[in-house]
Amino acid sequence: MAKTILITGANGEVGHGLIRTLGEQDHTLLALDMHPMDTTLFPYLHRHWVGNILDEKLITQIFDEYSIDVVFHMAAMLSTSAEHRPTLAHQVNVQGTLSLLEAAQSHAEKHRKKIIFLFPISIAVYGLPNIETKTRVGAIDEEQFLHPITIYGITKLHCEELGRYYTYHYKQLDTTSHAQYVDFRSLRFPGLISADTVPSGGTSDYGPEMLHAAAQNQPYAAFVRPDTTIPFMAMPDAVKALIMLAQAPNEALTRTVYNVTSFSLSAEQIATTTQKFFPTAQIEYKPHSGRQQIVDSWPALIDDQAARRDWGWLPDYDAERAFDDYLIPAIKRHYQVGQNA
Ligand code: AKB
């Protein structure tokens, strides 16, 4: 059914994929980003705003002008950028989410309807105490090791709790019957790799950066050790997971927060695979101690059984398919690299 959908942080990596996919369907897409939108996305958008997620007047105006059914709240400062400006990151990630939740709640109350509120976060909510534990524990589920060492992880974990609060407990003191207006659903992603965009400000960025540098025939120095291992996912699967969770019937959901994952690779495995397709790629390792510490605190594997069971999650791309069928052909097209390169 056609929906009116608001996407914040719309010009980011996930926003790009989401807009292109949802834009092929019969929805009204509204986009907000603090940077001017990529003009190639214009054909898919009903309207877009260049503005700050902290601009409450603008947020209110958007909700006043449209009857919004679904929000994909992607605007956030990622892990490395957030470490450089932690108080700003707290404002953007927490205050930005809170005012959007509040706007969604008021809007839903006014229109007597429910708003689905999708919130992507990642393995950054986890904080493993040391490498020995990381190696020993294997795949961790949604409730384990929730002691992030970054302000990004802390703010996102807090927002997951805010979302659960708005969904199940908000305004309960003043009413006898609680109508649910905000239906908050959070997805914890691995590091994401897109063939079309290069991430910025994250700490899982070494994976995609390596590949994009090789495709452009540029040397690359990874800021982590070769053995560094975290889970990754190809962008089409990330978009698929967001849309599947948004469409899942409320009765099927047993939690507000779900892990999703595809494949885990070490930095060295990504480098070897990259060099298989781009034999002249020059990749070296210059670990940055702060960023290394962050990635070492993130799990090597996550358990996504709950998503598989509740709403049928299954990735389309394992590591081999991600490179063979998506990343390499699409990245070669993107940089117009000859097929023999
Ligand atoms: C980041 O590196 O900040 C994100 C993430 C894994 O949360 N890509």
Side-chain angles (χ1 to χ4, degrees), residues 13 77-82 121-125 150 152-153 156 189-192 199-206 208 223 230-232 291 294-295 298:
E13 281 213 288
M77 278 175 75
L78 292 185
S79 53
T80 294
S81 325
I121 160 62
S122 75
I123 48 172
V125 294
T150 61
Y152 173 66
K156 288 288 199 164
F189 284 124
L192 301 179
S200 72
T203 321
S204 59
D205 296 2
Y206 60 90
F223 53 82
I230 58 167
F232 283 97
R291 295 181 99 183
I294 292 174
V295 194
W298 291 349

Side-chain angles (χ1 to χ4, degrees), residues 1-8 18 22 27-28 30 63 67-74 97 100-109 111-120 163-164 166-168 180-187 241-253 255-256 258 311:
M1 205 173 71
K3 305 268 187 214
T4 300
I5 301 175
L6 172 63
I7 302 171
T8 73
L18 194 60
L22 290 173
H27 302 298
T28 302
L30 310 173
F63 276 93
S67 176
I68 293 169
D69 304 300
V70 183
V71 175
F72 288 91
H73 177 35
M74 240 84 70
T97 303
L100 202 60
L101 279 167
E102 190 56 32
Q105 170 83 22
S106 313
H107 183 77
E109 280 178 21
H111 293 268
R112 316 282 324 153
K113 68 176 190 183
K114 196 183 271 197
I115 292 191
I116 294 184
F117 194 112
L118 259 292
F119 185 69
R164 193 175 51 76
Y166 270 79
T167 301
Y168 294 112
Q180 194 184 69
Y181 288 110
V182 173
D183 179 348
F184 177 91
R185 304 169 180 199
S186 172
L187 265 186
L242 276 166
I243 295 176
M244 280 183 82
L245 182 56
Q247 290 174 342
N250 182 276
E251 319 75 71
L253 304 182
R255 9 182 350 104
T256 48
Y258 287 93
W311 43 277

Side-chain angles (χ1 to χ4, degrees), residues 140-151:
I140 66 177
D141 69 25
E142 285 86 351
E143 303 302 327
Q144 296 178 284
F145 298 103
L146 295 173
H147 301 292
I149 66 164
T150 61
I151 190 70

Side-chain angles (χ1 to χ4, degrees), residues 279-331:
T280 58
Q282 296 169 52
I283 300 170
E284 58 176 333
Y285 301 89
K286 288 194 179 155
H288 175 283
S289 63
R291 295 181 99 183
Q292 181 71 59
Q293 207 188 344
I294 292 174
V295 194
D296 285 345
S297 77
W298 291 349
L301 297 159
I302 52 172
D303 176 345
D304 61 3
Q305 288 307 312
R308 289 175 187 246
R309 180 196 63 221
D310 288 0
W311 43 277
W313 161 248
L314 204 58
D316 288 331
Y317 296 93
D318 58 14
E320 205 178 317
R321 263 207 83 203
F323 279 89
D324 290 1
D325 296 358
Y326 164 62
L327 288 167
I328 300 301
I331 218 163

